[in-house]
Amino acid sequence: MGTMMEMMESMPQAATTGMDMAMMQECIEACSAVSMTATMCADADSGDDMARCASMCANMADVATATMRMMMRPTGYEPGVMHAMMTACVTMAEACAAECRRHAEMHEHCRICASACEAMVETCRRAMSSMSAA
Amino acid sequence: MGTMMEMMESMPQAATTGMDMAMMQECIEACSAVSMTATMCADADSGDDMARCASMCANMADVATATMRMMMRPTGYEPGVMHAMMTACVTMAEACAAECRRHAEMHEHCRICASACEAMVETCRRAMSSMSAA
Amino acid sequence: MGTMMEMMESMPQAATTGMDMAMMQECIEACSAVSMTATMCADADSGDDMARCASMCANMADVATATMRMMMRPTGYEPGVMHAMMTACVTMAEACAAECRRHAEMHEHCRICASACEAMVETCRRAMSSMSAA
Amino acid sequence: MGTMMEMMESMPQAATTGMDMAMMQECIEACSAVSMTATMCADADSGDDMARCASMCANMADVATATMRMMMRPTGYEPGVMHAMMTACVTMAEACAAECRRHAEMHEHCRICASACEAMVETCRRAMSSMSAA
């Protein structure tokens, strides 16, 4: 993630639009981990009883990707929009983690995906509190 | 959109998960229009004073794409997650339409993008009311 | 697709970068249909024997989406890049259609997805010939 | 990237479909870095003379994201499709790096984006040679 940190430090927009880039970077890393683990979990799920898990993971990967891209665009930053998107991402992650946890003992990929979702929920919630306080 | 309608009619999951496919299809079409117009509006924006518009349109395109993909996955449908995602999409669209409206007289692409966003807001709000009533 | 046609007509970049917007619009519509049918086919696939179909459809949806977005950005148009991306999209679509055809008699969603892929291959090949001739 | 490595080790499909997961992981990391730096570079570009850079970076981010997602789906792995997609990704990256290099002295974000693209080209070329040899 060294490249991204370097990139974020080079961005002058952060100052003007008020996006907290250090906080965002933690969220981006957490979203990136989820977008990857959820994509791989969806791909590894097979069998009738895993269809719901695969579908939720596919949704999770798309939502995490869209959320992290929004976090990488300080120029168009709008606190209200970011808050709504992070809420959607956290809501999706709680549902996805709950589903993956049900198969965590049987499928290692579900356990890893659930953990990544839970970590992202925590990171995003912390950022949302700090945004609300500002 | 004939292909998609045919596809949706072929999906047995709708029945089991309770996603209203006819309602969703209208939303998908509205999101698809926005994902396209916002992508093109962002690309057409140039000049210092259009940077914020371009950034918001890039966000809008990503959010609309992720939202419509979620609408095309009845297997993992969760009403609470869908509601949060549609809320994020509508919040983004209101901000994007407001920004695009500011340049609508000067740039035809901004006028078209704003209209597509406004139409999607209306369609999604209607679907959200009907989901809440259910 | 009325909104998109209106949008494309409003884009002055087409003239400067030499992207054939009428040709591109046909390709965008074909890619859009595939991005939707492949997303829905992947979601509908369940059972051990459908895992490969679901994975290929998930890839197909992502490639079609990235390809159509490139087609909606005349400002950064590069014929060589577009040609490589359309080649990737066509290669993916041929593989996806072949896989879906194998289940087309059993699953209506596979039949629809295969047809959309095949139609896109034809449209893109035609556009690629016309680009090469230019 | 610890989470992803753990995930990849948990995936039994790799063995059956023949995707070289260690090689893929290096490529995924390089694509992930580009998808982030190109998204941020596009957002930071403003002014008439940067419109082409912004458009190419937006394309680059989408292509890198689609490519890395394909690399995270061993279940549907097809060597020919992967080769075509990596070719598209490398072709896009060379064009994007060339454009960003033109502004690298003036814009730090362009320098960082160009470097990430160049590193990805090298990593992907190495993987493609090893795939062809197999």
Side-chain angles (χ1 to χ4, degrees):
Chain A
M1 291 279 167
T3 309
M4 199 184 67
M5 200 170 335
E6 203 187 355
M7 183 56 115
M8 293 203 116
E9 279 161 11
S10 81
M11 301 185 88
Q13 289 88 338
T16 49
T17 59
M19 202 195 253
D20 178 342
M21 296 306 259
M23 182 59 95
M24 279 307 151
Q25 195 182 321
E26 266 188 78
C27 291
I28 290 168
E29 285 174 36
C31 287
S32 174
V34 166
S35 76
M36 291 182 183
T37 55
T39 299
M40 291 190 274
C41 193
D43 194 67
D45 286 338
S46 71
D48 288 328
D49 47 335
M50 297 303 283
R52 187 160 170 81
C53 189
S55 183
M56 294 181 81
C57 285
N59 282 338
M60 181 74 260
D62 287 348
V63 176
T65 299
T67 304
M68 69 185 271
R69 280 181 163 219
M70 190 182 281
M71 290 168 174
M72 292 187 284
R73 297 190 183 114
T75 307
Y77 177 61
E78 278 273 354
V81 175
M82 182 66 85
H83 198 277
M85 191 64 189
M86 288 172 83
T87 301
C89 193
V90 160
T91 307
M92 176 78 247
E94 285 170 336
C96 189
E99 178 65 28
C100 279
R101 277 282 164 234
R102 295 180 52 218
H103 327 110
E105 298 210 354
M106 211 156 53
H107 299 295
E108 182 68 358
H109 55 81
C110 287
R111 189 191 61 72
I112 298 168
C113 187
S115 296
C117 287
E118 287 157 2
M120 184 185 68
V121 167
E122 224 179 291
T123 311
C124 286
R125 282 209 189 288
R126 210 160 44 229
M128 288 166 86
S129 316
S130 115
M131 282 164 65
S132 302
Chain B
M1 291 279 165
T3 309
M4 200 184 68
M5 200 170 336
E6 202 188 357
M7 183 57 118
M8 293 202 116
E9 279 161 13
S10 82
M11 302 185 87
Q13 289 88 338
T16 49
T17 61
M19 201 195 254
D20 178 343
M21 297 307 260
M23 183 59 97
M24 277 307 152
Q25 195 181 321
E26 266 189 76
C27 292
I28 290 168
E29 285 173 36
C31 287
S32 175
V34 166
S35 76
M36 290 183 184
T37 55
T39 299
M40 290 190 275
C41 192
D43 195 66
D45 287 337
S46 71
D48 288 329
D49 47 337
M50 297 303 283
R52 187 161 170 79
C53 189
S55 182
M56 294 181 80
C57 285
N59 281 338
M60 181 73 262
D62 286 348
V63 176
T65 300
T67 304
M68 69 186 269
R69 281 181 162 219
M70 189 182 282
M71 290 168 174
M72 292 186 284
R73 296 190 182 113
T75 308
Y77 177 61
E78 278 272 353
V81 174
M82 182 66 85
H83 198 277
M85 192 63 190
M86 287 172 84
T87 301
C89 193
V90 160
T91 308
M92 176 78 248
E94 285 170 335
C96 189
E99 179 66 28
C100 279
R101 278 279 164 234
R102 295 180 51 218
H103 325 110
E105 300 209 352
M106 210 157 54
H107 299 295
E108 182 67 357
H109 54 81
C110 287
R111 187 190 63 71
I112 298 168
C113 186
S115 295
C117 286
E118 287 157 2
M120 183 185 69
V121 167
E122 222 178 294
T123 310
C124 286
R125 281 207 190 289
R126 209 160 45 229
M128 289 165 86
S129 315
S130 114
M131 283 164 65
S132 300
Chain C
M1 290 279 165
T3 310
M4 199 184 68
M5 200 169 335
E6 203 188 357
M7 183 57 116
M8 293 203 116
E9 279 161 12
S10 82
M11 302 185 86
Q13 288 89 337
T16 49
T17 60
M19 202 194 253
D20 178 343
M21 296 307 259
M23 183 59 97
M24 278 308 152
Q25 195 182 318
E26 266 190 77
C27 291
I28 290 169
E29 284 173 36
C31 287
S32 174
V34 167
S35 76
M36 290 182 183
T37 54
T39 299
M40 291 190 275
C41 193
D43 195 66
D45 286 337
S46 71
D48 288 327
D49 47 336
M50 297 303 284
R52 186 160 171 81
C53 188
S55 183
M56 294 182 81
C57 285
N59 281 339
M60 181 72 263
D62 286 348
V63 176
T65 299
T67 304
M68 69 186 269
R69 281 181 163 219
M70 189 181 281
M71 290 167 174
M72 293 187 285
R73 296 190 182 114
T75 307
Y77 177 62
E78 278 272 353
V81 174
M82 182 65 85
H83 198 277
M85 192 63 189
M86 287 171 85
T87 300
C89 193
V90 160
T91 308
M92 176 78 248
E94 285 170 335
C96 189
E99 180 65 28
C100 279
R101 277 281 164 233
R102 295 179 52 218
H103 325 110
E105 299 210 352
M106 211 158 52
H107 299 295
E108 181 68 357
H109 55 80
C110 287
R111 189 191 61 73
I112 298 168
C113 186
S115 295
C117 287
E118 286 157 2
M120 183 185 69
V121 167
E122 222 179 294
T123 310
C124 286
R125 281 208 191 288
R126 210 161 43 229
M128 289 165 86
S129 316
S130 116
M131 283 164 66
S132 301
Chain D
M1 292 280 166
T3 309
M4 199 183 68
M5 199 170 333
E6 203 186 356
M7 183 57 115
M8 293 203 117
E9 280 162 11
S10 82
M11 301 184 89
Q13 289 88 338
T16 49
T17 60
M19 202 194 253
D20 178 343
M21 296 306 260
M23 183 59 95
M24 279 306 152
Q25 195 181 321
E26 267 189 78
C27 291
I28 290 169
E29 286 173 35
C31 287
S32 174
V34 166
S35 75
M36 290 183 183
T37 55
T39 299
M40 291 190 274
C41 193
D43 194 67
D45 286 337
S46 71
D48 288 327
D49 47 336
M50 297 303 282
R52 187 161 170 80
C53 189
S55 183
M56 294 182 80
C57 285
N59 281 338
M60 181 73 261
D62 286 348
V63 177
T65 299
T67 304
M68 69 186 270
R69 280 180 163 220
M70 190 181 282
M71 291 168 174
M72 292 186 285
R73 296 191 182 113
T75 307
Y77 177 63
E78 277 273 353
V81 174
M82 182 66 84
H83 198 277
M85 191 64 189
M86 287 172 83
T87 300
C89 193
V90 160
T91 307
M92 176 79 248
E94 285 169 336
C96 189
E99 179 66 28
C100 279
R101 276 282 163 234
R102 295 180 52 217
H103 326 110
E105 298 210 353
M106 211 156 52
H107 299 294
E108 182 68 357
H109 55 81
C110 287
R111 189 191 61 72
I112 298 168
C113 186
S115 296
C117 287
E118 287 156 2
M120 184 185 68
V121 167
E122 223 178 294
T123 310
C124 286
R125 282 207 190 289
R126 209 160 44 229
M128 288 166 87
S129 316
S130 115
M131 281 164 65
S132 301

